[in-house]
Amino acid sequence: MFREKYHRMNEQISPDQELVNKIIHSVDEPKRETNKAKYFFRRPITIVAMLMVLVLTATPVLAANVPAVYKLMYFVSPTVAQFFIPVQKSCEDNGIRMEVVSSYIHDDTAEIYITMQDLIGDRIDETTDLYDSYSINRPFDSSATCQRVGYDKTTKKETFLISIKEWGNKKIIGDKISFSVREFLSGKHEYNEIPMAIDLTNINNTQAIKLVSIKGGSGPKFKEYVPNFESKVKVLVPSAPMDFPVKGIDFTGIGYVDGMLHIQTSVVDNLTKDNHGYFFLSDKNENKIQCAYSVGFAENSDSANRVDFDEYVFDIPQAEIGQYSLYGTFATSGLFTEGNWQVTFPLEEIKNN
Amino acid sequence: MEQQSLRMNDCLENVVKEYSKMVYRLAFSQTRNKSDADDIFQEVFYRYIRKKPQFKTEEHRKAWLIRVTVNCCKKMWTSIWIGKKLSLIVQKDEPIVFKMKEETNLHYELQKLPMKYRAVIHLFYYEDLSIEEISKALNQKPSTIRTQLTRARYKLKEILKEDYDV
């Protein structure tokens, strides 16, 4: 099991006693503390000074011919935006263009701006999520991240910033990398605190139940009702989907089990949607009551017909439930787009004069 | 008037002894190298010393330390000056040695896990925190944490293949 192996591995990781002692004794040495901290996050004045030196010694190539992205770059990090050099390599598939706009390579770190634009429709929007389908292939050991930066409504371009840091503090200039995307989600829709048209006074307390292995859970009483993740948990037997105001989430059960209100929703093939949410009760004074705990479980988990269930359990006696109203907050993704977008480009440094 | 802590063990030495492994292992889970984990570890406790935060319960203290550790890791990663920092201080990368080969392999496999998932995986699988507790510690919605955990597990399955039951 992963949990046990991960535990065993971590048990072997500890800070050096010397390091621990250094911290404990550092309260008596304020000067050393300040100096050490400075190594990590350097003061703004130092950054400004270093930038001035860099500005005077390097020739930044401005990405002036990509104004929208350039604006975003300034928004994210105005001090370094001018150090990015244009790349402008692109590819198209399924009517969507992916372009590597610019990059900034310094020592062992590469920062790369990439845009995605729908040439035939509106599948790219401000909610576009690459959904972990991106990959960054590079011929060196490194860590890489990709974050969404912003959306330009005029050009319908979504901009992403990729950051790559090579392990071992080696320079990465001269290497080539490939950035590829297989799929993305967009058209996200949020439902905030919407009322549920459910008569809570008329809930069945003889609902069929079953025991399942859970894949996760949360809530203030979660540990009380689910002592460990290996234990089986009582849930409602899912019914056929009932009326529900959220498209993309099925309402598959409500009932009292052992004196607690269970509410169940499910999503078919959620790995291509990432639809999720939660319920809460509201009393007459509009006080919100969150569920005591919730659990998640799956059916057909290894097949294409995978269904992910969430069950929310409220600790309100059935005799009192009429005093409450049920609300929910949900987020769904309307579009799942697949394609094959890949751009390979060299990591080049700004040339000095 | 300065708020008084309700706890008896606010003494720095007690706090460091109690939480040093938790902070260090959380930092290591994200950096996956000793020298960065050392830096994060020091930065977290230096912040603790500087800010002198007061907590009503140990849970609040633990959550604060978790949040600051994760934030320091994010800041280290996103800092454009990381390259400069690394060139300014003496490099002391020491490969960590695990008792079993499969633990070393797992350590290297986990380097393939995207940074954003490493904290939730560690807090869930090692610190045994619930989604609710992680969301409070990281100041994010439970639904966000649940999504991250689901995606992280999916990624882990891809990375570890059938070697481990995630």
Side-chain angles (χ1 to χ4, degrees):
Chain A
M1 292 287 285
F2 173 76
R3 186 183 289 269
E4 284 77 34
K5 285 181 179 135
Y6 189 68
H7 251 268
R8 276 206 306 276
M9 184 192 71
N10 274 288
E11 289 298 316
Q12 298 170 47
I13 299 163
S14 297
D16 294 338
Q17 193 53 45
E18 192 189 346
L19 192 62
V20 175
N21 292 340
K22 204 169 160 185
I23 297 288
I24 291 169
H25 298 127
S26 64
V27 275
D28 305 324
E29 301 168 53
K31 277 185 181 175
R32 231 169 108 190
E33 170 199 330
T34 313
N35 286 340
K36 188 68 192 171
K38 253 197 326 191
Y39 276 136
F40 205 128
F41 303 124
R42 308 194 71 78
R43 291 173 177 217
I45 188 72
T46 317
I47 294 172
V48 170
M50 290 175 77
L51 265 177
M52 285 176 71
V53 172
L54 284 168
V55 167
L56 291 170
T57 54
T59 306
V61 183
L62 300 180
N65 48 347
V66 277
V69 177
Y70 197 45
K71 261 187 240 168
L72 281 171
M73 285 157 61
Y74 259 107
F75 175 75
V76 173
S77 182
T79 51
V80 294
Q82 59 193 318
F83 294 111
F84 279 81
I85 59 171
V87 177
Q88 291 176 285
K89 292 206 169 188
S90 63
C91 72
E92 275 180 41
D93 188 35
N94 195 7
I96 285 169
R97 175 191 289 150
M98 184 173 81
E99 180 175 10
V100 181
V101 180
S102 58
S103 67
Y104 171 39
I105 318 294
H106 45 108
D107 297 329
D108 62 346
T109 302
E111 292 172 283
I112 300 142
Y113 279 95
I114 281 179
T115 59
M116 292 190 77
Q117 181 182 29
D118 191 347
L119 304 172
I120 56 173
D122 294 313
R123 290 166 293 174
I124 298 281
D125 60 17
E126 56 269 75
T127 68
T128 303
D129 178 354
L130 297 185
Y131 200 46
D132 301 332
S133 77
Y134 69 87
S135 69
I136 305 163
N137 294 319
R138 58 272 185 197
F140 45 83
D141 292 334
S142 55
S143 312
T145 59
C146 175
Q147 66 184 92
R148 200 163 58 81
V149 176
Y151 178 69
D152 181 7
K153 283 182 180 167
T154 321
T155 58
K156 294 182 178 177
K157 277 184 184 173
E158 182 77 275
T159 303
F160 299 91
L161 172 62
I162 302 169
S163 303
I164 305 171
K165 183 192 164 213
E166 176 167 25
W167 297 329
N169 195 26
K170 288 174 191 164
K171 285 203 169 191
I172 54 182
I173 289 159
D175 286 322
K176 276 187 179 177
I177 68 165
S178 293
F179 180 76
S180 59
V181 174
R182 293 193 318 270
E183 59 202 27
F184 62 85
L185 293 172
S186 57
K188 284 196 177 177
H189 194 80
E190 291 191 349
Y191 303 78
N192 285 316
E193 303 192 351
I194 55 168
M196 300 287 133
I198 294 169
D199 181 5
L200 296 176
T201 58
N202 194 23
I203 294 172
N204 190 350
N205 60 5
T206 55
Q207 195 83 13
I209 56 160
K210 64 176 184 174
L211 290 169
V212 295
S213 298
I214 59 165
K215 62 184 174 71
S218 64
K221 292 193 175 175
F222 177 75
K223 283 188 177 168
E224 188 181 322
Y225 288 94
V226 187
N228 58 67
F229 280 90
E230 280 69 44
S231 43
K232 298 262 184 181
V233 177
K234 266 185 204 175
V235 297
L236 301 170
V237 172
S239 68
M242 299 178 273
D243 280 347
F244 198 57
V246 180
K247 195 181 167 191
I249 295 180
D250 291 329
F251 182 51
T252 49
I254 183 165
Y256 261 88
V257 179
D258 299 337
M260 296 176 90
L261 174 63
H262 285 234
I263 298 171
Q264 188 188 80
T265 58
S266 69
V267 181
V268 178
D269 194 18
N270 204 22
L271 290 173
T272 63
K273 295 171 186 157
D274 194 26
N275 297 349
H276 57 273
Y278 64 92
F279 292 96
F280 64 90
L281 293 166
S282 177
D283 67 13
K284 284 170 183 156
N285 297 320
E286 298 188 346
N287 295 313
K288 287 181 188 171
I289 291 95
Q290 304 294 342
C291 66
Y293 71 94
S294 68
V295 293
F297 62 99
E299 286 183 356
N300 313 321
S301 55
D302 291 324
S303 76
N305 303 318
R306 178 187 169 111
V307 185
D308 282 280
F309 292 87
D310 283 305
E311 189 143 328
Y312 307 86
V313 183
F314 292 87
D315 195 3
I316 304 285
Q318 192 163 10
E320 297 171 17
I321 197 67
Q323 300 166 29
Y324 298 90
S325 305
L326 183 64
Y327 289 81
T329 290
F330 305 94
T332 61
S333 295
L335 277 170
F336 175 70
T337 308
E338 289 181 287
N340 181 20
W341 302 279
Q342 177 167 320
V343 179
T344 300
F345 56 99
L347 298 173
E348 288 172 344
E349 195 178 27
I350 294 172
K351 299 280 186 300
N352 288 341
N353 268 344
Chain B
M1 197 173 74
E2 192 176 335
Q3 189 189 356
Q4 293 299 305
S5 170
L6 302 177
R7 305 296 305 176
M8 292 299 289
N9 56 352
D10 272 4
C11 158
L12 176 70
E13 187 171 349
N14 289 341
V15 173
V16 174
K17 281 181 178 167
E18 177 70 23
Y19 292 105
S20 61
K21 286 183 180 170
M22 182 198 81
V23 168
Y24 193 82
R25 286 168 185 168
L26 178 57
F28 187 87
S29 73
Q30 290 168 93
T31 62
R32 302 230 69 86
N33 84 66
K34 206 168 177 318
S35 87
D36 283 345
D38 284 353
D39 285 343
I40 301 282
F41 177 82
Q42 291 181 82
E43 176 62 18
V44 170
F45 283 108
Y46 285 136
R47 283 188 189 194
Y48 186 88
I49 291 164
R50 281 198 302 271
K51 287 186 186 292
K52 299 185 182 69
Q54 304 290 317
F55 303 100
K56 286 185 179 173
T57 66
E58 278 308 307
E59 284 72 32
H60 285 99
R61 190 196 310 279
K62 184 177 176 180
W64 187 92
L65 287 165
I66 288 172
R67 184 159 56 247
V68 172
T69 308
V70 171
N71 287 344
C72 283
C73 290
K74 279 185 191 162
K75 191 161 185 179
M76 183 194 77
W77 174 245
T78 54
S79 168
I80 60 161
W81 297 105
I82 192 163
K84 301 279 181 285
K85 176 188 80 82
L86 288 170
S87 63
L88 284 170
I89 57 175
V90 177
Q91 288 303 296
K92 50 183 181 195
D93 277 344
E94 299 163 23
I96 192 150
V97 179
F98 293 95
K99 286 179 193 163
M100 310 276 288
K101 194 185 170 196
E102 68 170 358
E103 287 153 1
T104 306
N105 290 344
L106 179 59
H107 164 63
Y108 284 110
E109 292 296 327
L110 285 169
Q111 292 175 354
K112 296 176 190 165
L113 189 67
M115 301 290 281
K116 60 183 171 181
Y117 298 142
R118 293 180 187 182
V120 286
I121 284 289
H122 184 81
L123 295 173
F124 187 80
Y125 283 107
Y126 184 71
E127 292 296 335
D128 289 329
L129 298 187
S130 67
I131 289 171
E132 193 78 18
E133 288 167 325
I134 298 171
S135 79
K136 278 183 186 160
L138 300 184
N139 211 9
Q140 291 187 15
K141 288 180 187 171
S143 57
T144 306
I145 299 297
R146 178 175 293 189
T147 303
Q148 284 187 358
L149 200 52
T150 305
R151 291 182 179 190
R153 283 203 191 103
Y154 193 60
K155 272 275 166 196
L156 267 180
K157 278 189 175 177
E158 273 181 11
I159 293 166
L160 303 174
K161 306 216 165 44
E162 65 279 359
D163 295 345
Y164 301 95
D165 184 12
V166 179

